Amino acid sequence: MTKKIGIIGGGQLGLMIAEEAHRQGAVVYALDPAPDAPAFAEADHHIVARYDDLEALERLGDATDVLTYEFENVPGDILRHLEGKYDIRQGIAPLFDSQDRLREKNNAARHGLPVPQYIPLPACSADEDCAEVPVEMTDAERLEELRAAVSTIGMPCVLKTRRLGYDGHGQAVIRTEKDIEQASALLHVPCILEAFVPFDYECSLILVRDGHDTIHFPIGRNIHKDGILDLCIVPAPGIYEGTAPDGSIADENLTPPGREIISACTAFMDSCGYRGILAIELFIKGNTFVFNEMAPRPHNSGHYTIEGCTTSQYAELCHFLLDKPLVTPRLKAPTVMKNILGQDLDEAWKIVKEAQGSITNIAKRDNAWSGAAGEGIYAHIYGKTESRPKRKMAHLTYIPMTAEEFDSRWYGRFYPNNRNI
Ligand code: AMP
């Protein structure tokens, strides 16, 4: 029988889940507040509604066999209600745990992942769910508490709002005394202060667990610009060495630090009892790693898996949702993914058009395009009606492509004044 998947959220992640769900023969419903949400171009049915509209979410649940989410900030009480009534296959625990940075870090530490030193503001004990700033607390008291926390952790450190932060929003790096006062503007909502991790680079590990098997995707190096993911370079340096005779890369090519990351993150997911997809962002310093945050949904850094791997993060999420066995991925060849923000979109179109003089194998739905542009460049253009600087509009995946080749041939196309990664 054809299965119906309901996706809470209709952004580009929802679009790519829907594309894959269709490949696997499912029917897709998507819910999003924006009438022009990218996933609506691919979904068979859609519901325009807010994420706190219980009646609309119930319509989504009633119409489908299994629910998933690509948006993280559905209110907790609504999630609990939906979980009692519908098959939210991943459960709500990973979503709930990732919605609050304090809960997220407490949970990571409790389940064996190394975390940076952190202090909740306002102060509360590790298990306390102190999600509000006491109304009687004055600005001066909040500043005082921040100063005390900064002197405990030391500078540099990072102040982050506990909830609703994304792409560097809701955070401030504190390097000097002067920064403390500026950062204190965030303290009208609960925050955590974290030690600044002097990492060599950032990476993320994407895992899928169905209760029998846990699979994971190759680890790439993530490069951010202004807090937003810019490039994902796979394989990450220091995590893999060598290749199989066919040029592919997988676990047998892991270095000891790479093996340690995979085993700690797999054990974390098992120990939490999470099912479905989980992306874990890490900081790497030498042979050590530190947990930063997690997301129980496909991840921007995993877009590369569509063409770069033998199976993608979207395919494995759909396997999980549709009760199909999980497939272990291999990296076909070194791959680079470039996120295309509003400011990059014209250049991305130029690159796609130059690659073969014309676009080939493009699936077109409304304004969304995806397909092979030739010369090992694959384009995914999300069809968002309004392009704005810093808005994620598309991504390009280059395969085979090393960081060095990307640097010398492509990086300057996006950053003419800054030619090196
Ligand atoms: P986040 O939203 O927590 O992923 O933070 C956005 C970006 O800020 C990260 O990708 C890092 O580049 C940087 N960042 C966040 N937390 C820290 C930290 N504790 N130490 C160093 N850099 C950080």
Side-chain angles (χ1 to χ4, degrees):
M1 205 189 73
T2 306
K3 275 225 176 168
K4 296 178 192 133
I5 298 178
I7 309 172
I8 302 175
Q12 61 271 12
L13 300 172
L15 168 67
M16 287 177 268
I17 297 171
E19 287 174 333
E20 182 56 39
H22 280 158
R23 265 177 230 127
Q24 295 187 26
V27 169
V28 177
Y29 288 63
L31 178 148
D32 194 281
D36 58 349
F40 290 174
E42 178 75 22
D44 304 281
H45 305 276
H46 67 264
I47 298 173
V48 179
R50 287 162 47 120
Y51 298 113
D52 58 2
D53 182 341
L54 182 57
E55 184 272 326
L57 286 159
E58 287 190 328
R59 259 190 291 139
L60 184 74
D62 288 336
T64 55
D65 301 305
V66 58
L67 288 178
T68 189
Y69 35 73
E70 63 98 83
F71 176 78
E72 274 158 84
N73 291 311
V74 184
D77 50 338
I78 291 203
L79 284 175
R80 271 188 224 100
H81 174 85
L82 293 175
E83 192 184 35
K85 235 175 135 177
Y86 302 108
D87 180 1
I88 305 181
R89 191 58 61 93
Q90 295 200 208
I92 63 166
L95 193 62
F96 194 67
D97 291 343
S98 67
Q99 283 180 341
D100 179 322
R101 290 186 191 275
L102 176 62
R103 201 183 302 134
E104 182 179 52
K105 289 229 160 51
N106 285 341
N107 184 60
R110 201 178 296 131
H111 292 280
L113 291 180
V115 293
Q117 189 186 0
Y118 61 97
I119 295 176
L121 296 166
C124 58
S125 75
D127 292 323
E128 203 179 332
D129 204 4
C130 48
E132 304 295 333
V133 177
V135 276
E136 66 278 9
M137 209 172 173
T138 63
D139 287 354
E141 285 167 337
R142 292 198 290 243
L143 180 60
E144 199 47 42
E145 199 182 42
L146 175 60
R147 280 192 203 288
V150 171
S151 73
T152 304
I153 286 186
M155 287 190 271
C157 50
V158 191
L159 185 67
K160 300 179 177 181
T161 59
R162 279 173 48 184
R163 294 179 55 89
L164 304 175
Y166 67 97
D167 288 343
H169 290 269
Q171 50 182 278
V173 179
I174 298 173
R175 295 180 191 281
T176 63
E177 282 294 323
K178 228 177 90 203
D179 295 335
I180 300 181
E181 206 158 321
Q182 255 179 18
S184 71
L186 292 175
L187 293 171
H188 59 280
V189 292
C191 289
I192 61 171
L193 185 73
E194 278 176 27
F196 188 89
V197 180
F199 56 80
D200 297 333
Y201 64 88
E202 298 180 66
C203 73
S204 44
L205 176 62
I206 299 168
L207 308 111
V208 184
R209 176 174 183 270
D210 65 3
H212 303 287
D213 298 309
T214 307
I215 58 132
H216 56 264
F217 289 86
I219 302 176
R221 172 184 171 198
N222 298 338
I223 299 178
H224 293 80
K225 273 248 159 22
D226 300 327
I228 307 174
L229 184 70
D230 183 36
L231 297 171
C232 184
I233 296 167
V234 210
I239 304 282
Y240 297 89
E241 59 194 355
T243 62
D246 65 356
S248 68
I249 293 168
D251 281 6
E252 59 271 28
N253 306 107
L254 283 167
T255 58
R259 276 199 291 277
E260 205 178 311
I261 291 173
I262 305 265
S263 87
C265 292
T266 306
F268 167 75
M269 202 173 173
D270 285 347
S271 162
C272 294
Y274 295 156
R275 288 176 182 226
I277 189 162
L278 184 72
I280 302 179
E281 294 186 35
L282 303 165
F283 298 131
I284 307 288
K285 176 81 185 152
N287 285 343
T288 63
F289 67 95
V290 176
F291 171 90
N292 178 30
E293 61 179 3
M294 66 176 199
R297 52 160 172 78
H299 198 251
N300 192 167
S301 67
H303 291 342
Y304 87 87
T305 61
I306 298 175
E307 291 89 10
C309 289
T310 48
T311 180
S312 75
Q313 60 169 348
Y314 304 99
E316 293 316 307
L317 170 61
C318 290
H319 283 161
F320 167 73
L321 295 172
L322 299 171
D323 296 315
K324 297 178 182 175
L326 302 180
V327 176
T328 300
R330 296 185 70 82
L331 183 71
K332 292 181 196 163
T335 303
V336 174
M337 188 282 299
K338 169 79 178 90
N339 237 358
I340 302 299
L341 307 183
Q343 64 268 30
D344 305 319
L345 193 58
D346 288 346
E347 197 59 35
W349 270 118
K350 273 192 219 155
I351 290 170
V352 166
K353 287 178 178 155
E354 285 162 16
Q356 274 197 339
S358 66
I359 305 160
T360 56
N361 307 334
I362 294 271
K364 181 182 184 299
R365 299 163 313 277
D366 299 346
N367 296 317
W369 300 77
S370 68
E375 292 188 36
I377 304 172
Y378 297 84
H380 293 259
I381 294 171
Y382 310 143
K384 294 184 183 175
T385 40
E386 194 196 342
S387 173
R388 284 192 306 271
K390 297 195 171 185
R391 187 170 195 209
K392 291 172 185 149
M393 299 302 294
H395 72 266
L396 297 181
T397 300
Y398 294 74
I399 172 169
M401 179 63 60
T402 61
E404 295 71 30
E405 285 170 277
F406 188 84
D407 218 9
S408 65
R409 183 152 176 219
W410 298 105
Y411 194 69
R413 295 286 299 262
F414 297 100
Y415 300 107
N417 301 324
N418 184 6
R419 296 201 152 258
N420 291 101
I421 293 171

